[in-house]
Amino acid sequence: MQEAFASALRSWANYGIPENPAAWITTAAYRKLIDARRRERTRREKQGLLEQEAAIATNEDPIMPETLPSEIRDDRLRLIFTCCHPALNREAQIALTLRTLGGLSTVEIARAFLVPEPTLAQRLVRAKRKIQEARIPYEVPPDDALSERRAAVQTVIYLIFNEGYTATAGDALIRRELCAEAIRLARVLRAIDPQDPEGLGLLALMLLHDSRRQARVDGAGALMTLEEQERSLWDRDQIQEGLSLVDAALQMRRAGPYQLQAAIAALHAEAMTSAETDWPQIAALYDELARINPSPVVLLNGAVAVGMSEGPGRGLTRIDELGASGELDRYHLFHAARADMLRRLGLASAAADAYRRALTLVANGVERAYLERRLAAL
């Protein structure tokens, strides 16, 4: 595709923009792909297949719609499905797709997986080597193969949204273009299979989170926590759509991780003030989520919910138990959550130490300023 764009820059400057630029690009990319595959097969299978591929490559007609899966009409989503090849393990599928198509850097992807950047880089190299050695084809999957890739595609979309919702680094908290693109892709995915409850839950979750966008920073650009946000700034239309999607998904009685996270977001959205938040119900939902997806971040969020519903002492105990393995030691939000529980318990010195540890790990300027503000207040 990149080579096709380069060809367009050269050709259109001389001959003008074609009547159908998208078809021109698609055809050029298809021919570039044929050329690459032709060269590879020449080395492996010699003249016979070379002649066959050359005949295809000289065809002047654009790639026909029936050669692509009938269900996927969006170019980017089609490419994401292509990258999420089941021959690779799930983590490699997601990491490669985020790196190749999601616009995320190795640092940002490493943050999503809670691993050091060199570790993630090595995994990407190994995945690429496997593609080469196993000769895994880079092709759009047929309709009957979409379901085995859907979960990985959903994860890719959600991680793109997460990077947009809280940027790994830089001076801005939110990368709105990533949030908007992730929501758009989730809508397309929902249209492909409107009866997939996790697809509904994913879209609902992102809409409910994104509904708070205007309230997440104040007029000076400072981070406002959920507890501090001016809730009149929340987008009620997005909230209503998200709540409807959550209800529709849960009525299918096939609860999954995105539906449960969306249900948690819905409880936050329904509370008109911070004091009205149903923390016991949120903690119960996190317990259920941890049962089916016991990731460190889910367990950490569950511990915070326990702290808010049963008291900061209980929350701190859960957080310390979770931190005993050291798996979250490089995750700044682990230390920030621990600092918050210590602050609520009145243990200022210990809270300050935890905030200082979080500050050594945070890369986003807005989050850094918030942590410094909390530390100064102690």
Side-chain angles (χ1 to χ4, degrees), residues 3-306:
E3 290 179 11
F5 282 130
S7 295
L9 288 172
R10 290 192 297 269
S11 176
W12 297 359
N14 295 325
Y15 302 106
I17 299 176
E19 291 184 5
N20 190 335
W24 194 103
I25 290 288
T26 302
T27 304
Y30 181 65
R31 288 173 177 164
K32 296 285 185 185
L33 177 61
I34 292 296
D35 288 343
R37 295 182 69 177
R38 180 177 62 192
R39 289 191 297 270
E40 176 63 23
R41 291 189 180 187
T42 299
R43 286 191 292 269
R44 293 190 285 113
E45 300 176 9
K46 306 299 180 182
Q47 189 65 31
L49 279 180
L50 172 62
E51 293 175 352
Q52 184 182 51
E53 293 292 341
I56 296 174
T58 55
N59 185 351
E60 294 298 322
D61 293 330
I63 185 169
M64 297 302 292
E66 56 264 29
T67 65
L68 299 174
S70 60
E71 292 190 11
I72 310 177
R73 299 300 182 189
D74 182 83
D75 290 337
R76 180 167 292 183
L77 188 61
R78 185 160 56 236
L79 288 170
I80 292 175
F81 267 99
T82 299
C83 283
C84 292
H85 197 287
L88 300 172
N89 65 53
R90 176 68 59 81
E91 189 176 84
Q93 292 176 38
I94 294 166
L96 271 177
T97 307
L98 289 170
R99 187 71 183 91
T100 307
L101 296 173
L104 272 63
S105 68
T106 304
V107 174
E108 292 162 348
I109 300 169
R111 172 184 177 268
F113 284 102
L114 298 182
V115 297
E117 182 184 355
T119 302
L120 194 280
Q122 290 172 359
R123 292 177 184 175
L124 289 172
V125 170
R126 286 196 295 268
K128 292 176 182 178
R129 186 181 299 124
K130 181 175 181 179
I131 290 173
Q132 293 172 342
E133 294 175 351
R135 293 172 181 164
I136 296 172
Y138 188 81
E139 58 189 14
V140 183
D143 290 349
D144 59 6
L146 297 182
S147 59
E148 65 181 345
R149 305 189 185 200
R150 184 170 285 117
V153 170
Q154 289 171 340
T155 302
V156 167
I157 293 172
Y158 187 49
L159 291 178
I160 291 173
F161 177 84
N162 275 351
E163 179 57 30
Y165 189 72
T166 305
T168 298
D171 296 327
L173 180 69
I174 304 167
R175 296 173 64 181
R176 298 188 180 188
E177 75 284 356
L178 289 182
C179 292
E181 178 64 3
I183 290 173
R184 186 190 71 81
L185 289 170
R187 290 191 187 280
V188 177
L189 194 61
R190 178 202 175 195
I192 293 173
D193 187 1
Q195 297 306 309
D196 174 31
E198 278 292 83
L200 297 177
L202 174 62
L203 178 56
L205 174 61
M206 293 192 295
L207 286 171
L208 290 168
H209 280 327
D210 193 60
S211 70
R212 303 196 293 264
R213 183 178 63 238
Q214 297 298 329
R216 293 185 63 220
V217 293
D218 64 14
L223 172 67
M224 304 297 288
T225 64
L226 191 58
E227 196 173 11
E228 300 167 332
Q229 287 173 19
E230 175 52 61
R231 302 190 177 210
S232 64
L233 297 176
W234 290 2
D235 187 325
R236 289 295 157 186
D237 290 337
Q238 273 191 305
I239 289 174
Q240 190 55 51
E241 182 182 3
L243 294 177
S244 298
L245 288 167
V246 172
D247 289 341
L250 293 177
Q251 285 175 12
M252 297 179 185
R253 299 189 180 280
R254 286 182 285 152
Y258 293 118
Q259 297 169 72
L260 292 171
Q261 291 178 78
I264 291 168
L267 288 171
H268 284 298
E270 289 173 328
M272 300 308 295
T273 66
S274 175
E276 295 175 23
T277 305
D278 190 348
W279 283 109
Q281 179 68 8
I282 290 172
L285 285 170
Y286 270 119
D287 285 343
E288 179 62 19
L289 180 59
R291 187 181 64 80
I292 60 177
N293 180 31
S295 73
V297 173
V298 167
L299 295 172
L300 176 61
N301 289 337
V304 171
V306 168

